[in-house]
Amino acid sequence: MKSVEDALKLCLNNDHGMEYPDFASMWERMEQAGHTGDSDSKRARGRSVQRQGRNLRKSVVALSLAALLAAAPVYAAIQVDWNGLLHGKSGIQAALSEHLGQELEQSVTRDGVTLTLHTAVVDENRTVILYSLNPGEHNRAEFMKFKGISLRDEQGNLSEGILRDMVWDAGSGRYTGYVESNWTPEGDTAKVEFIARDLQSFTRQEQVLEVDNTTGETQSFNIAQDDLQALHVQMFPREDNRLLVYSEITFEQEEAAAWAKPQVVAYRDGAVVKELTGSLQVRRGDNGEYISQQFYRHSDVSDQSTAYRLQYMKEEERLDGKWSFDLNLSKKQMNTGTAKYALNKPLETGSDDITLEQMVVTPTQIRISYRTREAYAHLPYEKLTLEVQGMSLQGELWSTAERDPNKGAIRFERPSGLVMNGKTPVTLTGKYKITNHKGERTPIRLTAISGKRQSVTSQVGGYPVVWIYYTLDGDLYVETGSQTPGFGGIVSFETTRNNSYFAGETLIANYSGDDDNTAIKRYEGYEQTKASMYVSRYITVEPDQMIQVQLLP
């Protein structure tokens, strides 16, 4: 292909009178005429050109262009700046700067939208494919995304990729994006089908809400537009000058929950009020509703100049169907910079709960795989870093490609300039320990339940925990929390109803290791005046606890 391309360039350079062709329109006309198929149609196309008596030299050029368009559409026409898109992906940036990516440069046009695959970065740890999208005559919305992108191997197995939101690149006049997958070739190369399906475009919408933040009662709003059904908002004042704005939204079309991303936003004097730490924008409720919680400083939203608005994404257009490519992906050029090291070391000395099994170093990433004694067990340290050559690399937790419940991986982007081998000192550091515990199942008695806020204190794992309970709109609300350092929060608790456990609905669950360990549950239609609560799980935290495991040499 390279020699054909060079010959073509020479031909074009020597023909000064030739107008440079419009490749895009040529390709569209060829598709409309049915000339993108088998070799018979190509031969027919060649005979047609000859019969028209065109200059032989230009016929050869035109045929070469058609062949290039069919095999690897239009080389070098698109210049894309990937830096903004690849923020936080230093390993991929390093690979591109060292020309380690596999050039693809293939395009598929469907419904006037052209998807171009530019580069694949394939190594022992992952596959990343960079692409751009030309929306053509379709309106350029604020956001565009595919519903999903997957890789299908020769055995028919599908590997769903993790999508990065597309970014508009003004220089190329295209959207840019990438997909990342756990899938890698078992050998040096593998044939796969790249499938991007159902392209959607979105705009951001806003709706003014008449919210009263002085009441704790549920405030409901009938949205009934853009696939959103209803919104329910509730205010929970905290004792530390914070106001928790809790919202639930339901959908007319369930699929809208995947893209609407609704949230209630506070404005004061026309400006957005800054949220406090602990705010959560993404969580699905027990019944499929979309839950958002925002913490504000109470004094920032307490006067009448505060207004609330509902913000969400509206689907403007959808092009159903798939953009597919047949690819032959290779990790050969990455193999020389790839090394595997057997570890078989416990994460914590004297414990077999978690075993570090292997470290795989590639030009783009360092992956540490581990095995847990219990299925779905979490690593007990909130902050994980890899200390190597004076650098401190931040770790991310990933599931394994085979999704084994007893396996996981910690991944670190490999920055440009990091040189290491089997003799390089490498240390894994874990900080801020979080430990899960089973509850003692000792009942906590709530008595004289009414609309009045009442409290009782119990011991959970040796820590004093305050239980605040009250009824509102016929529902029982139970809040738990502790001011004692080291207590991380109650993960789950339930009561009994009709001689069986009743979990209730979790409104707030802060037990991720931050300073707030509040949990709030709602039990709908609770008519009794007493209740027994049972703790299933809780966590403790040790912010100063740290481990260091020397992995190499």
Side-chain angles (χ1 to χ4, degrees):
M1 179 61 73
K2 184 68 168 61
S3 59
V4 173
E5 182 188 4
D6 291 340
L8 178 59
K9 286 179 180 177
L10 180 61
C11 229
L12 290 173
N13 289 337
N14 289 338
D15 195 342
H16 301 294
M18 180 178 292
E19 182 180 353
Y20 198 75
D22 182 346
F23 291 172
S25 10
M26 285 175 63
W27 180 242
E28 288 175 2
R29 288 196 299 271
M30 290 165 64
E31 282 190 315
Q32 292 169 4
H35 293 319
T36 59
D38 57 22
S39 57
D40 289 338
S41 66
K42 292 179 184 177
R43 287 193 295 270
R45 185 163 63 248
R47 289 194 297 270
S48 174
V49 170
Q50 291 172 350
R51 283 195 300 268
Q52 291 173 14
R54 294 182 177 177
N55 178 277
L56 177 60
R57 183 191 204 181
K58 292 185 179 182
S59 298
V60 172
V61 171
L63 286 170
S64 300
L65 282 171
L68 282 172
L69 285 169
V74 190
Y75 266 89
I78 307 165
Q79 297 296 325
V80 178
D81 180 5
W82 301 107
N83 290 328
L85 178 73
L86 294 174
H87 177 72
K89 293 292 180 181
S90 59
I92 302 301
Q93 289 178 318
L96 295 179
S97 67
E98 296 170 14
H99 306 289
L100 290 177
Q102 177 185 349
E103 287 191 11
L104 302 175
E105 296 303 334
Q106 298 185 33
S107 296
V108 167
T109 299
R110 179 186 177 89
D111 296 325
V113 176
T114 300
L115 174 63
T116 301
L117 307 187
H118 293 277
T119 306
V121 179
V122 186
D123 60 25
E124 193 68 29
N125 285 336
R126 60 179 168 180
T127 294
V128 175
I129 296 178
L130 307 177
Y131 61 85
S132 68
L133 185 82
N134 184 351
E137 297 300 321
H138 296 269
N139 291 331
R140 183 168 73 84
E142 290 181 68
F143 304 95
M144 295 190 79
K145 67 182 286 289
F146 287 104
K147 213 169 186 180
I149 294 180
S150 54
L151 299 176
R152 190 201 310 272
D153 64 19
E154 291 185 287
Q155 288 71 46
N157 301 313
L158 272 177
S159 175
E160 198 69 22
I162 298 174
L163 294 178
R164 164 72 158 83
D165 288 343
M166 282 192 270
V167 175
W168 178 254
D169 178 51
S172 63
R174 289 169 167 252
Y175 289 96
T176 60
Y178 71 81
V179 59
E180 183 172 1
S181 172
N182 275 338
W183 177 90
T184 64
E186 291 185 5
D188 287 339
T189 62
K191 293 181 179 180
V192 296
E193 181 185 10
F194 176 101
I195 305 169
R197 60 187 183 277
D198 302 342
L199 180 64
Q200 299 169 284
S201 62
F202 304 91
T203 56
R204 193 188 308 274
Q205 303 293 313
E206 200 169 68
Q207 189 173 127
V208 176
L209 302 172
E210 297 295 332
V211 174
D212 180 4
N213 61 4
T214 64
T215 178
E217 296 182 356
T218 301
Q219 301 173 64
S220 299
F221 304 87
N222 183 34
I223 307 301
Q225 67 181 44
D226 301 331
D227 294 327
L228 276 63
Q229 186 178 66
L231 169 70
H232 308 283
V233 180
Q234 206 166 357
M235 305 292 178
F236 293 92
R238 316 310 300 159
E239 296 178 355
D240 53 359
N241 189 33
R242 292 187 305 162
L243 177 68
L244 169 60
V245 180
Y246 173 86
S247 60
E248 294 180 1
I249 195 159
T250 55
F251 302 90
E252 291 180 346
Q253 298 292 332
E254 176 62 25
E255 63 176 354
W259 67 72
K261 299 181 181 179
Q263 60 175 315
V264 176
V265 181
Y267 283 78
R268 185 174 182 178
D269 298 325
V272 176
V273 179
K274 184 179 180 180
E275 298 176 0
L276 301 177
T277 57
S279 296
L280 176 69
Q281 302 299 345
V282 181
R283 184 163 71 88
R284 297 299 299 275
D286 298 336
N287 299 311
E289 68 276 18
Y290 196 99
I291 294 176
S292 176
Q293 66 184 56
Q294 289 115 308
F295 283 99
Y296 296 101
R297 189 173 289 104
H298 202 290
S299 55
D300 289 345
V301 294
S302 57
D303 60 26
Q304 294 183 349
S305 65
T306 302
Y308 291 90
R309 303 176 193 174
L310 171 65
Q311 291 182 348
Y312 61 92
M313 303 303 296
K314 174 187 176 182
E315 184 184 45
E316 295 288 353
E317 186 179 15
R318 184 192 304 186
L319 300 176
D320 290 328
K322 68 179 184 178
W323 287 252
S324 65
F325 302 77
D326 291 326
L327 304 177
N328 189 9
L329 297 180
S330 171
K331 60 183 181 184
K332 285 182 181 179
Q333 59 181 337
M334 294 290 192
N335 286 345
T336 56
T338 297
K340 299 180 181 181
Y341 303 97
L343 300 177
N344 296 318
K345 297 184 177 184
L347 180 67
E348 295 181 300
T349 303
S351 172
D352 64 349
D353 288 346
I354 298 172
T355 301
L356 307 177
E357 293 191 318
Q358 185 187 54
M359 180 168 67
V360 178
V361 180
T362 74
T364 75
Q365 195 182 68
I366 302 171
R367 183 191 70 199
I368 298 173
S369 57
Y370 63 87
R371 175 177 290 277
T372 62
R373 186 166 52 85
E374 295 184 4
Y376 303 106
H378 295 286
L379 290 184
Y381 291 90
E382 185 77 1
K383 302 170 185 178
L384 296 164
T385 58
L386 201 65
E387 315 300 327
V388 53
Q389 296 287 56
M391 301 179 183
S392 184
L393 312 182
Q394 302 299 315
E396 292 184 345
L397 297 180
W398 281 65
S399 61
T400 58
E402 62 269 25
R403 299 192 179 278
D404 187 325
N406 292 91
K407 286 186 175 182
I410 317 167
R411 298 193 175 195
F412 306 85
E413 289 292 317
R414 181 174 179 174
S416 178
L418 174 59
V419 179
M420 58 185 296
N421 55 41
K423 296 181 180 179
T424 304
V426 180
T427 301
L428 175 67
T429 299
K431 297 180 180 179
Y432 206 118
K433 186 175 184 179
I434 301 176
T435 306
N436 280 277
H437 305 272
K438 292 182 179 180
E440 295 94 342
R441 309 300 292 175
T442 303
I444 293 92
R445 311 291 185 184
L446 311 183
T447 59
I449 296 173
S450 68
K452 178 183 177 181
R453 290 174 64 94
Q454 302 177 75
S455 65
V456 62
T457 301
S458 71
Q459 293 291 316
V460 176
Y463 295 89
V465 175
V466 177
W467 300 70
I468 299 174
Y469 58 98
Y470 53 93
T471 56
L472 188 64
D473 296 335
D475 301 331
L476 171 64
Y477 289 81
V478 181
E479 305 179 16
T480 66
S482 177
Q483 298 294 322
T484 304
F487 187 75
I490 298 179
V491 177
S492 62
F493 60 90
E494 58 270 338
T495 186
T496 55
R497 173 181 284 183
N498 299 327
N499 296 321
S500 61
Y501 286 113
F502 177 38
E505 181 182 6
T506 300
L507 302 185
I508 306 299
N510 290 322
Y511 46 80
S512 60
D514 54 22
D515 294 331
D516 186 1
N517 55 45
T518 301
I520 303 177
K521 275 199 171 187
R522 176 171 62 204
Y523 299 87
E524 293 187 356
Y526 200 89
E527 299 176 350
Q528 302 179 47
T529 58
K530 61 182 180 179
S532 295
M533 312 305 297
Y534 298 87
V535 176
S536 300
R537 288 191 302 130
Y538 66 96
I539 66 169
T540 56
V541 297
E542 300 173 77
D544 299 326
Q545 181 70 15
M546 181 179 76
I547 59 156
Q548 288 190 310
V549 183
Q550 184 170 338
L551 306 180
L552 294 178

